[in-house]
Amino acid sequence: MSDLSLYRNIGIFAHVDAGKTTTTERILKLTGKIHKTGEVHDGQATTDFMEQEQERGITIQSAATTCFWKDHRLNIIDTPGHVDFTVEVYRSLKVLDGGVGVFCGSGGVEPQSETNWRYANESEVARLIFVNKLDRVGADFYRVVKQVEDVLGANPLVMVLPIGREDDFIGVVDLLTRKAHTWPDPGNPEKFEIGDVPEDMVDDVEEWREKLIEMAVEQDDDLMEQYLEGNEPSLDEIKHCIREGTRKLDFFPTYCGSAFKDKGIQLVLDAVVDFLPNPTEVDPQPLTDEAGEPTGEVALVSADEPLRALAFKIMDDRFGALTFVRVYSGKLNKGDTILNSFTGKTERIGRMVEMHANDRAELNSAQAGDIIAIVGMKNVQTGHTLCDPKSPCTLEAMVFPEPVISIAVAPKDKGGAEKMGIAIGKMVAEDPSFRVETDEDSGETILKGMGELHLDVKVDILKRTYGVELDVGKPQVAYRETITQEIDDSYTHKKQSGGSGQFGKIDYRIKPGEPGSGYQFSSTVVGGNVPKEFFPAIEKGFQGMMEEGPVAGFPVLDVEIELYDGAFHAVDSSAIAFELAAKGAFRQSMPKAGAQLIEPIMKVDVFTPDDHVGDVIGDLNRRRGMIKDQDAGATGVRIKADVPLSEMFGYIGHLRTMTSGRGQFSMEFSHYMPCPANVAEDVVAEVQERKKAS
């Protein structure tokens, strides 16, 4: 039985290009897991093993690895930074106990860092902060600390101070021990010197150290009293306080260095061991019933409990399907039979492996706190709970965002259709934010995803990994429809044909709902004019029609329907008659209720150097954008705006041209808004064209 107090399940997350993968590489080197560090920009990084990752120099899927530091076992997950793959970050955070947020020393708190930080807050994950790339031009540790306070609204607890700036950055001062750590030889991270604090920094060190201790002792009233009386607590007592505060998310211990130049990573590893919680110290996962309501029970982290585990990621590789699992409680042995509570089916565990990016080591058993991969599971998808057949349960299910962009694809040669179908099936199981459907009218395969890059990578994987060449259509926006006016109406469905007929009369009110409310049905019928048993049929009739609106056949959102009166016939009325009455009512009333197209609006966050601000804002205005906020930083300006998705295609190329390659942006779905009349006309005309063609 392994000692759980020596486990740390951590993730590394940050904005694209802040240096997460490089940091992970250095950690693996220091812990002796690899002997030669690979560089991202050479396409050699250990955790970036997909071809697409090596070429683009970005991480696409989270990679898991295990290493040891000071007798502690670290299960590390390197997550992607691009907004299109946020779902990867989200599901990784779900199963981690702690994290390291990496920020770029010159870029500071970038758009994507905010999204990731928000996810981590929602998942209540304790974190350290590592300010990376302090050797870059324009890097400023103190500015990034201030940004963490202002932009993220978090409390950074500064643990080290940098020695030197930009090119002269040589090491850091550890505030707790008042010792300077310097790395004289850039290619050799293991070799470092511990000396005294440089003379010109003594005052700064004392000032920041005082802040650090004041913040830490707030966790313990007795120590605080002693401190106020002038007695400084011992190092162990301070560390205990920091650990407590980190676990409660009161503050976030903050470190700095340069991963690329091998400076400062040891201290971060020490902090992971010293301050981040082990699996038994985090709040245990609540159990829910099938509907997702909490039952009041929790999955206690102990090997003696019944088995509770969550499948959080599925990956297909050359050996078959790998299911990544976090074991919350109980034990898992090779050959055990387990229950998938979502499908209600049992499966036998064949092989279990411990992952190191692309390599693996065989295991015979795993226990609470472990993160492992199981080979060859059949019907398991992301978010499913695996448990003991004798005590079934569900861990909180994961919720994934709705895709906002779609493309039509078709295989170039006829024989590729089956191959494409199998490949896409595997990819949908791996990535819950990627959906696929078939257009009934044209028979096209439609791929849906979170953004252009997301779909671009998927098409690339189909081509390279599965050898399916595709013809790709233009990206399509997920338009929706809604209504603008309230109307009262009545509809009678009557049909007489020998024997019993059909009769159902409904009086109803259709009105616009609150934005984001979807479809709501209520009934205020009194006196039994429409018997209660027909209500579900009426609701079902209306709901079935919501899939296709009157304007251009897009799904209908944000509509409230109230049934207030009607009539029935003792013989001829049936559930089907009332369902047909509801469908007829929808067709009759929707066009009268001022139906209109609504389009997805994206929350866009653009970073641009100072000298191009005017161009960028002018361009966003031309794209029908609403500028919400401007924030000037040291190296440029961040502009926040709401822009329709249809105007954002190909934006990254355009932005780079405008800003001489220095601009960057991120966007995520915000809400739906009515389309202007000219845009709506174009969309309707395009839909009609498509229908004619098919």
Side-chain angles (χ1 to χ4, degrees):
M1 185 64 213
S2 326
D3 181 359
L4 283 175
S5 64
L6 301 176
Y7 272 56
R8 299 286 182 275
N9 291 323
I10 60 167
I12 295 186
F13 58 90
H15 182 83
V16 58
D17 258 1
K20 302 176 289 302
T21 305
T22 311
T23 307
T24 312
E25 284 291 306
R26 296 303 181 266
I27 291 176
L28 295 178
K29 171 86 169 36
L30 281 170
T31 54
K33 200 71 192 188
I34 54 176
H35 298 296
K36 174 180 173 289
T37 49
E39 301 306 347
V40 175
H41 48 255
D42 300 334
Q44 297 292 316
T46 316
T47 51
D48 285 355
F49 50 83
M50 289 168 62
E51 283 179 25
Q52 291 79 3
E53 295 180 314
Q54 291 167 359
E55 277 178 15
R56 297 165 192 250
I58 60 171
T59 307
I60 293 171
Q61 54 179 359
S62 22
T65 179
T66 303
C67 54
F68 288 85
W69 181 256
K70 297 194 172 169
D71 302 330
H72 285 65
R73 178 189 177 112
L74 310 183
N75 293 324
I76 302 178
I77 295 185
D78 174 28
T79 63
H82 265 281
V83 68
D84 290 15
F85 308 107
T86 323
V87 67
E88 289 276 342
V89 180
Y90 173 68
R91 56 184 173 177
S92 306
L93 283 170
K94 207 81 186 135
V95 297
L96 296 170
D97 305 325
V100 178
V102 181
F103 295 101
C104 170
S106 59
V109 176
E110 291 167 294
Q112 195 51 37
S113 329
E114 276 185 69
T115 311
N116 291 343
W117 196 262
R118 197 170 66 239
Y119 278 153
N121 284 342
E122 284 169 16
S123 305
E124 296 181 355
V125 173
R127 289 145 279 167
L128 307 173
I129 293 173
F130 176 56
V131 180
N132 190 15
K133 302 193 178 181
L134 279 191
D135 53 333
R136 280 189 70 172
V137 175
D140 181 346
F141 175 65
Y142 301 100
R143 193 184 79 246
V144 180
V145 168
K146 181 98 178 75
Q147 274 188 328
V148 169
E149 289 174 358
D150 298 347
V151 178
L152 301 176
N155 243 341
L157 179 73
V158 176
M159 303 292 292
V160 299
L161 292 185
I163 308 175
R165 291 189 60 161
E166 299 177 1
D167 283 348
D168 302 331
F169 171 67
I170 56 168
V172 297
V173 173
D174 181 348
L175 292 178
L176 281 180
T177 57
R178 297 191 177 93
K179 289 286 182 225
H181 294 238
T182 50
W183 285 263
D185 180 2
N188 190 353
E190 287 91 348
K191 189 169 160 227
F192 62 97
E193 295 166 2
I194 297 182
D196 292 330
V197 175
E199 280 179 20
D200 57 344
M201 286 181 69
V202 171
D203 294 348
D204 279 353
V205 167
E206 289 309 310
E207 182 190 333
W208 282 92
R209 190 168 187 270
E210 199 170 306
K211 279 189 198 167
L212 164 83
I213 295 174
E214 276 173 13
M215 221 167 168
V217 293
E218 281 177 8
Q219 299 294 323
D220 185 321
D221 294 345
D222 296 347
L223 285 179
M224 190 155 173
E225 270 183 35
Q226 286 179 27
Y227 181 67
L228 292 174
E229 284 166 13
N231 301 323
E232 185 173 295
S234 69
L235 260 182
D236 287 346
E237 287 173 327
I238 298 173
K239 279 188 174 173
H240 177 72
C241 288
I242 297 175
R243 190 175 177 92
E244 276 299 295
T246 309
R247 194 170 66 86
K248 292 185 204 145
L249 309 190
D250 288 349
F251 46 69
F252 304 94
T254 302
Y255 291 81
C256 64
S258 160
F260 185 54
K261 296 279 175 61
D262 294 311
K263 292 174 184 165
I265 301 289
Q266 285 94 334
L267 291 162
V268 176
L269 281 170
D270 290 346
V272 166
V273 167
D274 287 344
F275 306 132
L276 286 182
N278 66 46
T280 57
E281 291 173 318
V282 263
D283 291 337
Q285 280 283 333
L287 299 179
T288 62
D289 57 14
E290 285 164 5
E293 295 299 316
T295 57
E297 291 180 56
V298 293
L300 284 173
V301 182
S302 151
D304 308 328
E305 288 280 306
L307 174 70
R308 313 256 189 272
L310 183 73
F312 67 97
K313 175 177 169 64
I314 290 171
M315 199 169 105
D316 206 68
D317 74 353
R318 57 190 190 276
F319 299 111
L322 282 176
T323 307
F324 283 80
V325 173
R326 158 80 198 257
V327 185
Y328 284 106
S329 53
K331 267 190 178 122
L332 193 56
N333 296 311
K334 203 167 161 177
D336 281 0
T337 299
I338 55 170
L339 171 74
N340 176 348
S341 63
F342 186 82
T343 58
K345 293 182 177 158
T346 54
E347 291 203 35
R348 197 166 164 275
I349 303 279
R351 288 172 59 206
M352 297 189 315
V353 292
E354 181 184 284
M355 294 301 291
H356 171 54
N358 212 7
D359 299 328
R360 63 209 47 207
E362 294 279 337
L363 294 173
N364 288 324
S365 71
Q367 59 155 30
D370 277 333
I371 293 180
I372 57 152
I374 303 173
V375 182
M377 303 264 305
K378 299 271 186 311
N379 300 314
V380 178
Q381 283 190 335
T382 302
H384 285 185
T385 304
L386 308 174
C387 54
D388 187 336
K390 295 191 199 72
S391 73
C393 69
T394 307
L395 290 155
E396 185 188 2
M398 297 186 182
V399 185
F400 294 110
E402 285 296 310
V404 285
I405 175 170
S406 60
I407 50 174
V409 295
K412 280 195 174 156
D413 51 25
K414 288 276 180 351
E418 189 179 343
K419 205 167 160 190
M420 175 177 91
I422 296 169
I424 288 177
K426 285 180 176 172
M427 287 160 69
V428 169
E430 285 176 24
D431 180 356
S433 61
F434 174 62
R435 313 267 171 89
V436 65
E437 52 190 56
T438 307
D439 189 317
E440 287 172 11
D441 299 332
S442 63
E444 290 176 314
T445 303
I446 311 275
L447 306 183
K448 297 184 166 186
M450 303 311 295
E452 276 184 285
L453 180 68
H454 189 198
L455 291 178
D456 192 26
V457 166
K458 294 292 180 210
V459 170
D460 202 28
I461 293 175
L462 278 168
K463 183 172 154 187
R464 295 217 204 151
T465 313
Y466 297 103
V468 181
E469 291 278 349
L470 294 175
D471 287 325
V472 181
K474 217 160 78 216
Q476 301 293 331
V477 177
Y479 289 101
R480 296 286 181 264
E481 298 182 19
T482 188
I483 53 171
T484 51
Q485 295 154 19
E486 182 176 322
I487 78 165
D488 281 22
D489 215 339
S490 163
Y491 187 86
T492 308
H493 173 74
K494 242 183 2 210
K495 195 169 172 193
Q496 214 56 48
S497 59
S500 69
Q502 290 180 345
F503 179 84
K505 175 174 185 281
I506 52 173
D507 294 345
Y508 52 93
R509 192 171 290 120
I510 293 188
K511 56 182 180 191
E514 288 293 311
S517 62
Y519 156 69
Q520 285 170 329
F521 176 83
S522 60
S523 160
T524 51
V525 177
V526 287
N529 288 350
V530 178
K532 274 205 174 66
E533 65 258 31
F534 296 136
F535 290 175
I538 299 171
E539 183 173 359
K540 185 178 160 203
F542 276 120
Q543 195 158 6
M545 297 297 283
M546 293 288 162
E547 288 302 308
E548 219 170 283
V551 182
F554 292 107
V556 179
L557 287 183
D558 309 336
V559 171
E560 283 179 32
I561 293 177
E562 180 193 338
L563 176 72
Y564 63 85
D565 205 358
F568 79 108
H569 187 281
V571 178
D572 290 352
S573 284
S574 62
I576 191 87
F578 274 102
E579 188 179 328
L580 290 167
K583 288 185 168 173
F586 181 92
R587 279 195 285 271
Q588 169 182 299
S589 305
M590 282 307 269
K592 302 184 211 166
Q596 68 174 31
L597 266 192
I598 48 179
E599 60 183 347
I601 305 291
M602 307 303 277
K603 201 154 78 200
V604 179
D605 193 330
V606 186
F607 170 81
T608 162
D610 290 330
D611 38 357
H612 298 289
V613 175
D615 299 342
V616 171
I617 290 180
D619 181 65
L620 287 170
N621 285 331
R622 276 195 293 285
R623 293 172 186 267
R624 304 195 281 122
M626 283 271 297
I627 308 291
K628 288 287 180 56
D629 187 26
Q630 288 183 55
D631 182 18
T635 52
V637 178
R638 280 179 62 182
I639 302 161
K640 294 189 175 179
D642 285 351
V643 190
L645 173 65
S646 58
E647 304 284 345
M648 289 300 290
F649 290 137
Y651 181 64
I652 185 70
H654 201 81
L655 176 69
R656 283 192 180 137
T657 314
M658 274 189 305
T659 58
S660 324
R662 286 156 62 204
Q664 47 176 306
F665 85 109
S666 80
M667 64 175 184
E668 55 186 319
F669 171 70
S670 169
H671 56 283
Y672 275 96
M673 279 289 286
C675 281
N678 58 332
V679 174
E681 280 166 21
D682 292 349
V683 173
V684 172
E686 197 180 317
V687 168
Q688 285 166 345
E689 277 297 305
R690 267 210 309 268
K691 282 188 176 156
K692 268 187 207 155
S694 62

